[in-house]
Amino acid sequence: MRFDRLDALWLALLAGTATTWWLGEAGRLSSLGTAVLIFGLAIVKGRWVLLDFMALREAPALWRRLMLGWLLGVVGLIVLIRWLVSAAPA
Amino acid sequence: MSRVIPSGPGAGAATGAEPRLAGDLTIWLVIGLEMMTFALMFLSFAVMHARHPVLFEAGRRTLDLHAGALNTVLLVSGSWCVARAVRAATAGDDSRVKAWLAAALTCGAGFVLFKSQEYAHHAGLGLSLSTDDFWMFYWLLTGFHFLHVLAAMAFLAVLLIAGLRPGHLVGLHALETGAAFWHMVDLLWLVLFPLVYVMR
């Protein structure tokens, strides 16, 4: 079996998971900073799963946009809610 | 009898032919419905987290971050195995299809095992749906996802068992259909893990 893009993405997904774990374990950043990084990673990892593992890169554009839109919309709203809490006066 | 057809639906994607959706349209409609349901649950969790930060942080600290990360590794690795199975089916290599499916099911079984241990630990501490809002969301979100992992495993197991019968191969269209559902389960966990286990 030749090492190809699927294998590279798997290793990248593992590295992304390790980074998310480390951010949770270390707790060195602010809670908002941590949220931005871990959900940024979730978008990158989710995009790989959608486009490469689920083969949406070869799918009709409407399906690709709907699925990527779900990922960006849901994760974006979660981060927005987290940011609004940080920005609100105590 | 299902057969691998290298010149069938999978071949177009491999050669960059006209756009095609991998798997059956019905499963994609189901996936859309499931993802909308999970979206509502994720956003409800985020809103409640914002309203009760102290309570949710206390609940999060009770969770085992290592177990969550390990389960992410298992699901991601399972997705990779399933993607490799589809790649093998496209190439008409049925023995590799079955080997990758078995590997994916092993990853799924690992997830089920570790998650069950987590559930047993929490239940032993008396942390239930009725403990507080955090634990209600924890059990509902992760429990609903857990059921989807079982469903995805059942889907792949049926394909594998059918393909193991003498003279039978794993059909590419059916495999792509099961793969799409499996990958959705992985995708949902990629949002669930940082949301429930990591976000402070």
Side-chain angles (χ1 to χ4, degrees), chain A residues 4 21 29 58 70 82, chain B residues 20 35 66 84 87 200:
Chain A
D4 62 14
W21 167 82
L29 296 173
E58 291 87 23
W70 178 92
R82 187 68 196 78
Chain B
R20 60 173 287 273
M35 287 175 70
H66 309 311
R84 290 241 66 102
R87 184 71 62 87
R200 285 181 282 139

Side-chain angles (χ1 to χ4, degrees), chain B residues 30-120:
Chain B
V30 170
I31 285 171
L33 189 65
E34 300 286 359
M35 287 175 70
M36 291 309 294
T37 306
F38 271 97
L40 286 173
M41 295 172 79
F42 289 155
L43 294 175
S44 299
F45 182 94
V47 168
M48 291 302 285
H49 183 286
R51 291 182 65 181
H52 308 287
V54 176
L55 175 75
F56 274 62
E57 176 60 8
R60 186 193 72 82
R61 283 178 178 276
T62 312
L63 300 179
D64 185 348
L65 180 66
H66 309 311
L70 177 62
N71 276 334
T72 311
V73 167
L74 287 168
L75 284 186
V76 161
S77 298
S79 256
W80 171 63
C81 294
V82 170
R84 290 241 66 102
V86 172
R87 184 71 62 87
T90 306
D93 188 345
D94 192 63
S95 62
R96 280 188 188 274
V97 172
K98 291 165 187 170
W100 284 115
L101 277 181
L105 283 167
T106 304
C107 291
F111 178 93
V112 169
L113 176 69
F114 289 119
K115 197 78 199 113
S116 298
Q117 285 180 340
E118 259 192 289
Y119 285 147

Side-chain angles (χ1 to χ4, degrees), chain B residues 173-187:
Chain B
H173 186 66
L175 178 59
E176 285 183 329
T177 303
F181 191 81
W182 179 282
H183 294 312
M184 176 204 71
V185 172
D186 179 28
L187 176 70

Side-chain angles (χ1 to χ4, degrees), chain B residues 4-36:
Chain B
V4 173
I5 309 169
S7 59
T15 56
E18 64 181 66
R20 60 173 287 273
L21 200 56
D24 201 275
L25 177 63
T26 309
I27 201 69
W28 284 95
L29 296 175
V30 170
I31 285 171
L33 189 65
E34 300 286 359
M35 287 175 70
M36 291 309 294

